[in-house]
Amino acid sequence: ALRYFLLTLDLRRPRFFLGTLLHTALTGVTLQKLTCALSYMVVHKHFHEYVTRVHGDPETAGARSPFARQPTAPPLSSTVAPRTTG
């Protein structure tokens, strides 16, 4: 993970990594906070790689999800008769 964040020509990755560590340090370093911050960054790396591999570059993807489909039946709330009291 260190290689991914620090040894790159993309300046956003080292800035994200160092900024996260700096924020963690400024708010009081504990082993739990440091572990959470590092875990977050590792998950971020793997999630970004997954999204890029499966869906392509997220910056160029369309605004609409490829999984969105038109509903084939109206939603349940419009098919149920209103409840009457009396």
Side-chain angles (χ1 to χ4, degrees):
L2 289 176
R3 190 172 8 149
Y4 174 80
F5 285 111
L6 298 177
L7 301 178
T8 179
L9 297 176
D10 182 4
L11 296 179
R12 293 176 296 175
R13 282 191 246 163
R15 186 178 306 144
F16 171 75
F17 180 80
L18 296 173
T20 302
L21 289 181
L22 179 64
H23 179 73
T24 302
L26 291 176
T27 58
V29 178
T30 64
L31 184 58
Q32 182 180 1
K33 283 176 115 178
L34 188 59
T35 302
C36 286
L38 292 173
S39 297
Y40 170 77
M41 289 186 278
V42 169
V43 168
H44 177 274
K45 171 193 178 285
H46 289 289
F47 181 73
H48 189 270
E49 287 176 350
Y50 164 77
V51 168
T52 303
R53 185 178 67 247
V54 173
H55 300 289
D57 183 9
E59 298 295 326
T60 60
R64 185 179 167 143
S65 169
F67 300 107
R69 293 193 174 97
Q70 296 297 327
T72 56
L76 182 60
S77 61
S78 65
T79 60
V80 175
R83 179 182 263 181
T84 57
T85 58

